[in-house]
Amino acid sequence: MQEFLKKPGFMVQSGTLGADLSYLLAVVFTVLFLVAWWMAKKGQGTRHHKLIFVSAVSMVVYFVAYYYARSLGVLALEGKEGFGGPPEVYTSVFLPVLYTHLTLVTLGLIMVPYMILEGFRACDKVNGDYVLKPGELKADPKKFTRIWLWILGVWVVVEVLCLLAGKSWQAQLAYFLIIMTIAGVVGLEKLIEKWLPDGAQRHRIVGRGTMVLFALILCTSTATYLMLYVIYPLKAATG
Ligand code: HEM
């Protein structure tokens, strides 16, 4: 698989198949999300929901498969050797753009499941169509406690399985951080509920923020791709 992804790309001369495929799919998913935003703006709640759902599921499947296949070894993370430009540009432009991109992608991966769940909670089905229902939308505090207890339970089970399987402490820490993030998102919902008690308004405001996040992800992935394969390809540096 690694070898397949390292084959020459189809978009620019210096790109690899992995990089071109990754960039192209990132563009497709982001554009699908932005189209879903446009549908919501036109009042097409059900089409908006369907498109978000399909693109979110395929995006997550793609992310997991792609990063697993490349073992997180995106050329960008392989260090300066993968970058053909001057070292100053690498440190002061490329790395900040790359880290911003990775932070935005992480935020996006948190916001998508949050927004999908919030979307279902904030909607009613009227004549078969999803419609945002105005009014206060607050989860029962007992429900929050139950969710946290479930998360704690899952973490205990995961850690016990890790111990039994003899996994490294780094793997255990990674699982701990993932589960802490999920617990954090549940906590965040409590804060957002206070700030925006109206469920429909919450969906619109936080949803717009999420869509802007996707537009920024598109900008930063384009900048990373351009710097790596168009402006400063490796060949240019090595002659
Ligand atoms: C990643 C997930 C989602 C995001 C980012 C998102 C974002 C948005 C945004 C930004 C709007 C307001 C459009 C505007 O006025 O600017 C909106 C409206 C709406 N959303 Fe979502 N949404 C998501 C998921 C869902 C889901 C899962 C459902 C249904 C179960 C849903 C149902 C609706 C409905 C019914 C509207 C109102 C459309 C209208 O004005 O008639 N959304 N959404």
Side-chain angles (χ1 to χ4, degrees):
M1 188 64 172
Q2 294 276 355
E3 285 313 306
F4 175 72
L5 292 172
K6 278 186 183 153
K7 283 187 174 182
F10 49 88
M11 294 209 297
V12 290
Q13 231 181 5
S14 47
T16 60
L17 194 60
D20 285 4
L21 216 59
S22 142
Y23 176 63
L24 208 67
L25 284 173
V27 172
V28 169
F29 292 132
T30 316
V31 170
L32 286 182
F33 271 101
L34 297 177
V35 171
W37 184 6
W38 172 72
M39 285 173 171
K41 272 199 171 297
K42 283 180 60 182
Q44 301 171 343
T46 305
R47 292 183 74 199
H48 158 78
H49 145 73
K50 281 185 184 156
L51 188 57
I52 290 265
F53 205 74
V54 171
S55 34
V57 171
S58 29
M59 189 183 76
V60 170
V61 170
Y62 150 74
F63 261 122
V64 173
Y66 178 77
Y67 283 107
Y68 183 73
R70 295 191 85 191
S71 340
L72 267 179
V74 201
L75 176 56
L77 283 178
E78 281 166 9
K80 281 196 187 95
E81 304 80 56
F83 183 77
E88 319 78 79
V89 177
Y90 179 79
T91 332
S92 55
V93 183
F94 181 74
L95 278 187
V97 171
L98 175 67
Y99 288 142
T100 310
H101 176 68
L102 294 178
T103 311
L104 294 175
V105 168
T106 312
L107 277 178
L109 286 178
I110 293 173
M111 287 316 291
V112 167
Y114 169 80
M115 277 306 298
I116 290 181
L117 286 178
E118 206 278 343
F120 281 114
R121 288 173 62 220
C123 278
D124 259 346
K125 256 197 156 178
V126 179
N127 300 327
D129 277 327
Y130 282 104
V131 181
L132 286 178
K133 51 173 186 237
E136 195 177 84
L137 177 71
K138 280 194 173 177
D140 177 359
K142 279 188 202 144
K143 218 179 195 170
F144 267 113
T145 316
R146 238 178 294 143
I147 295 174
W148 267 319
L149 286 176
W150 263 102
I151 295 174
L152 185 71
V154 170
W155 174 59
V156 171
V157 172
V158 168
E159 291 298 328
V160 169
L161 289 177
C162 278
L163 281 178
L164 291 178
K167 294 263 181 200
S168 64
W169 67 267
Q170 287 95 333
Q172 292 186 36
L173 180 69
Y175 285 120
F176 173 70
L177 289 176
I178 292 172
I179 290 183
M180 280 294 285
T181 309
I182 299 172
V185 174
V186 176
L188 188 72
E189 168 63 359
K190 246 185 155 6
L191 275 181
I192 299 178
E193 274 185 0
K194 276 206 186 117
W195 172 48
L196 291 167
D198 184 302
Q201 198 196 13
R202 194 187 312 155
H203 188 84
R204 287 202 164 89
I205 293 180
V206 184
R208 280 176 200 160
T210 309
M211 293 302 192
V212 171
L213 193 72
F214 276 106
L216 292 175
I217 289 177
L218 186 60
C219 295
T220 49
S221 57
T222 305
T224 312
Y225 182 88
L226 286 179
M227 277 192 270
L228 277 174
Y229 302 106
V230 181
I231 309 175
Y232 302 115
L234 203 53
K235 274 181 208 150
T238 52

